[in-house]
Amino acid sequence: MVAAQPATVPISVFGASRLGTVTLSLRFDPKILRVRLVQEGTFMSSGGGTVTFAQQVDATGGRVDITLTRTGDASGVSGDGVLASVVFDAVGSGVSPLAMGGVVTGPGGLPVPVNFGNASITVR
């Protein structure tokens, strides 16, 4: 990432099966990155689902919390797609790890097993 330009980081899901609610936390280094915008992706609303999207940014602690819930849906959503995107601005130089964690449940509230990948952004 070049310091003068924002970087968009998509948060994607692959091989999902019957997701009802996704709660995510993305950690970053606030000395290197600042969140400009958090946008809802199209995955949870695919197939015509109604989605409640909530996000909260802790700029000082370096964390973005995102919750996506399909409301009034008994079957959930399956497949691949983008859950959300986070647009970052550079505020320093270096490497910021992007660490992801969270909980995923199906329409009935039962936990769905999930593996989270990690990434990083290098600012020059």
Side-chain angles (χ1 to χ4, degrees):
M1 162 179 199
V2 177
Q5 299 175 341
T8 301
V9 177
I11 300 171
S12 300
V13 63
F14 301 98
S17 179
R18 302 193 66 220
L19 302 189
T21 299
V22 177
T23 304
L24 303 170
S25 286
L26 175 67
R27 295 192 170 275
F28 60 93
D29 186 339
K31 292 187 238 47
I32 297 173
L33 300 173
R34 179 180 60 231
V35 174
R36 175 187 285 200
L37 179 66
V38 182
Q39 297 175 298
E40 180 181 349
T42 57
F43 178 73
M44 290 296 283
S45 61
S46 60
T50 301
V51 178
T52 301
F53 173 75
Q55 52 91 14
Q56 183 171 349
V57 177
D58 177 354
T60 306
R63 193 173 93 200
V64 179
D65 294 322
I66 300 168
T67 302
L68 298 126
T69 303
R70 278 177 72 101
T71 54
D73 180 17
S75 60
V77 63
S78 301
D80 304 337
V82 176
L83 295 168
S85 294
V86 180
V87 180
F88 288 103
D89 287 316
V91 294
S93 60
V95 178
S96 173
L98 299 177
M100 178 78 62
V103 176
V104 179
T105 58
L110 294 174
V112 174
V114 64
N115 293 317
F116 292 101
N118 293 314
S120 64
I121 293 179
T122 301
V123 178
R124 292 187 220 95

